[in-house]
Amino acid sequence: MSLPGGNVMVRLRLGTLALLALATTLTAAGGAVQTARADEAPALPAYFSATSADPAKPTWPDPTGAAAGVWATPAADGKGDVPSALATNDLYDRVAHNVYSINIVWTLVAGFLVMFMQAGFMFVETGLIRAKNASHTAAMNFLIYPLGCLAFWAYGFAFGWGNWWNGPVPPGWYPSLGPGLSLLNGGVGLGAAVDAAGNATGAYTYGLLGTKGFFLGSAVSDVSVMTLFFFMMVFMDTTATIPTGAMAERWAWRNFCLYGLWVALPYCIYANWVWGGGWLAQGGLNWGLGHGAVDFAGSGVVHAMGGIIGLAGALVIGPRLGKYVKGRPQALPGHNVPMVVLGTFILAFGWFGFNPGSTLSGTDLRISFVVVNTMLASITGAVGAMVVLELKGLKPDPTMMCNGMLAGLVAITAPCAFVDPWAAALIGVIAGVIVVFAVFFFENRGVDDPVGAISVHGVNGLWGVISVGIFANGQYGAGWNGVVRDEFVKLYGSDGVRGILYGDASQLVMQCLDAAVVTVFGFVMAWVWFKLSDAITPIRVSRDVELEGLDAPEVGALAYPDFSIHTSPRMVE
């Protein structure tokens, strides 16, 4: 979802808009946008330029979408729907409106799949913990959705995407979801840009934070903004859910609730830096490092951030009682392996919304590569984990194979649009290997993660970010983050995102920098928060509650009442 391409704040190439040549002299060749000289280019329709005929009566925000081209059957412009009676511009208005409609519907449906992933997380996490804590873990996975959404609505969206419009984009890019995204034009940063008249443009050399869109007020009451808000909100909820697994079986409910209202803060600040046109996205323009930070669907923004928050939380809250005896880790098996497998399949299914939906455009045909790469990485991740277990002399633990599949999915999320299928398969199998070693690494060092969330999302999220700088092949992402380098255009015909194997070592440097930033920023923010919130209300339940199980004392509902011995009076308090 970087400004110019994928899940992430991308502005769709004119070449991807059907029949755009009817209205402009812009053309897209091999993914590179070519523009005519300014004095030769005809005026673009307002729904591309995001301008208003009468500045005193701005066209946007547009709460119905009526200004984005013209509806057909019945035509909203009163000209009817008989093709022979319509001028070329009238026909094009209808084509453009349908393109926006396809993109909006695609993005919303993909978001529905991502939202359903919450059920997958609930099944995986609940199955991997003990029966006495099943209701509590399921309840955390449930309530994080409304808590996270409230925070994202109140302040998160504004911080992350409030200045999206002023981020770096290549010549000839326009928002795939419609001109209403031009309303996201307020932010703060370093090095304010000015136009020829000396007026501030709203852009910054180093963007830091957005400031427009709090509570989705009337200033952003537009169909395009609402679509972007929904899609980005369900992404944030994935991040918010990850620590509930790493901190399961001992996290006090009230402290968890405070966390649910806070987690949008680190997520959206960092998302602004990568997806909202901020300083990491600008690394290509400012420092000559590839195309800046590239993270198509969120290996870093979503998964690494969630895993690193979970690591900080697990360290602050400490291991479960009985996990370590004389410093040696003990197995505390989950209670329902079939539930884990079901949850994994739900997540894998939802990922087909997560990654291809990040084009924000159903008319971007690269989605077929994204889908296939996502699938290949998931299956090789599962196989890779199984092979490593066998080589270590262990049984093919189905829960570890599930984590291998999820690790492959996490890792391919950043590079899915930029790599060949063979590279996607390799990225997945490496992730499956990494997750096994990472789980044992953290466990042997006193970090108790009941579900392996830190290893799956944190470690493999970082691997996914770095893999872009290795395997990106240059076929996609021309002009990403506003970077168009003449030398690459001369060599390859266009300047797509490419890694060190394909001639751009600087992209790998930028990806490593991005990985370092999310690690340090995410960990420090989370560590400070968990220490602070623990002073407000305890982060950990009492010893007695933990031994009994958190279901009754914390949420008042036993997951398995027919199989539980319960003596606490708290059920009726």
Side-chain angles (χ1 to χ4, degrees):
M1 291 185 189
S2 185
L3 271 167
N7 154 36
V8 252
M9 289 76 296
V10 304
R11 299 185 182 176
L12 184 65
R13 280 196 316 269
L14 291 184
T16 65
L17 293 176
L19 305 180
L20 187 59
L22 293 175
T24 74
T25 58
L26 301 176
T27 61
V33 178
Q34 310 281 324
T35 61
R37 286 171 45 197
D39 58 353
E40 296 175 351
L44 290 171
Y47 46 75
F48 288 129
S49 61
T51 57
S52 302
D54 183 358
K57 299 178 180 178
T59 306
W60 292 276
D62 176 14
T64 66
V70 175
W71 293 354
T73 315
D77 58 0
K79 296 181 180 181
D81 298 303
V82 180
S84 61
L86 298 173
T88 299
N89 287 345
D90 298 326
L91 291 172
Y92 186 77
D93 287 345
R94 287 152 176 75
V95 170
H97 186 87
N98 285 339
V99 170
Y100 285 136
S101 300
I102 291 168
N103 294 341
I104 285 177
V105 170
W106 164 256
T107 303
L108 291 174
V109 171
F112 302 158
L113 291 176
V114 177
M115 185 270 180
F116 186 61
M117 290 171 71
Q118 199 65 35
F121 279 114
M122 186 278 293
F123 278 126
V124 169
E125 293 184 12
T126 303
L128 284 171
I129 56 88
R130 291 167 292 181
K132 65 181 181 178
N133 298 308
S135 278
H136 183 267
T137 299
M140 288 196 295
N141 276 267
F142 171 77
L143 198 69
I144 197 60
Y145 177 72
L147 290 174
C149 186
L150 281 173
F152 193 75
W153 171 59
Y155 68 87
F157 182 68
F159 283 169
W161 290 268
N163 204 27
W164 178 86
W165 183 255
N166 290 314
V169 296
W173 288 73
Y174 293 86
S176 59
L177 300 178
L181 294 183
S182 62
L183 300 167
L184 301 174
N185 58 4
V188 295
L190 303 175
V194 296
D195 58 21
N199 299 316
T201 64
Y204 295 90
T205 304
Y206 300 97
L208 298 177
L209 203 66
T211 59
K212 194 168 182 183
F214 295 104
F215 291 100
L216 294 179
S218 58
V220 295
S221 182
D222 184 276
V223 293
S224 304
V225 175
M226 297 302 144
T227 304
L228 185 65
F229 170 86
F230 171 72
F231 193 73
M232 294 306 151
M233 185 273 138
V234 292
F235 268 65
M236 189 221 71
D237 200 57
T238 297
T239 297
T241 300
I242 294 167
T244 64
M247 301 169 67
E249 300 202 279
R250 68 269 203 209
W251 198 354
W253 183 257
R254 290 175 182 172
N255 188 278
F256 156 76
C257 289
L258 289 181
Y259 156 84
L261 297 174
W262 164 85
V263 68
L265 182 63
Y267 175 87
C268 293
I269 292 174
Y270 175 66
N272 176 273
W273 298 347
V274 179
W275 286 349
W279 65 277
L280 287 173
Q282 296 165 318
L285 294 176
N286 291 335
W287 307 320
L289 296 178
H291 285 76
V294 175
D295 187 354
F296 189 78
S299 290
V301 174
V302 177
H303 296 282
M305 176 60 77
I308 291 163
I309 291 173
L311 173 61
L315 288 171
V316 172
I317 201 171
R320 292 167 290 174
L321 295 176
K323 177 61 182 176
Y324 293 94
V325 176
K326 296 181 179 179
R328 296 178 62 85
Q330 307 297 309
L332 299 177
H335 79 286
N336 196 324
V337 173
M339 184 184 291
V340 177
V341 175
L342 174 60
T344 301
F345 273 118
I346 291 174
L347 287 170
F349 177 70
W351 237 286
F352 291 127
F354 205 102
N355 286 0
S358 292
T359 57
L360 301 182
S361 168
T363 53
D364 184 346
L365 302 186
R366 188 69 176 182
I367 56 179
S368 62
F369 269 85
V370 176
V371 167
V372 170
N373 286 343
T374 299
M375 177 183 67
L376 289 174
S378 71
I379 62 174
T380 58
V383 172
M386 181 193 71
V387 170
V388 170
L389 291 172
E390 293 281 1
L391 292 176
K392 290 175 69 69
L394 302 173
K395 298 292 185 181
D397 180 353
T399 64
M400 189 65 84
M401 289 190 292
C402 285
N403 273 344
M405 176 171 281
L406 296 177
L409 289 164
V410 167
I412 198 59
T413 298
C416 57
F418 305 106
V419 301
D420 291 315
W422 71 264
L426 181 58
I427 290 168
V429 75
I430 292 173
V433 172
I434 289 174
V435 74
V436 175
F437 285 101
V439 165
F440 289 119
F441 173 85
F442 286 113
E443 183 179 58
N444 290 331
R445 282 154 184 80
V447 179
D448 182 14
D449 178 0
V451 307
I454 299 166
S455 302
V456 170
H457 299 277
V459 177
N460 279 289
L462 296 175
W463 161 233
V465 169
I466 294 169
S467 71
V468 175
I470 301 172
F471 298 106
N473 58 22
Q475 295 175 359
Y476 185 75
W480 196 274
N481 285 331
V483 175
V484 181
R485 298 166 292 187
D486 292 339
E487 63 272 24
F488 280 83
V489 174
K490 291 177 182 177
L491 279 173
Y492 305 108
S494 66
D495 187 13
V497 177
R498 61 182 63 243
I500 191 171
L501 295 182
Y502 293 85
D504 190 0
S506 68
Q507 188 65 58
L508 178 57
V509 175
M510 187 67 231
Q511 296 304 112
C512 290
L513 174 61
D514 182 22
V517 169
V518 67
T519 301
V520 174
F521 175 75
F523 187 85
V524 171
M525 287 283 287
W527 178 274
V528 171
W529 166 255
F530 286 125
K531 287 291 188 180
L532 176 63
S533 67
D534 187 37
I536 298 172
T537 182
I539 193 171
R540 185 165 182 154
V541 298
S542 69
R543 177 184 177 86
D544 289 343
V545 167
E546 186 174 346
L547 290 172
E548 177 186 341
L550 279 64
D551 280 6
E554 286 289 294
V555 297
L558 297 172
Y560 305 102
D562 294 339
F563 304 100
S564 298
I565 299 175
H566 180 69
T567 58
S568 172
R570 299 190 184 203
M571 282 286 287
V572 295
E573 284 181 359

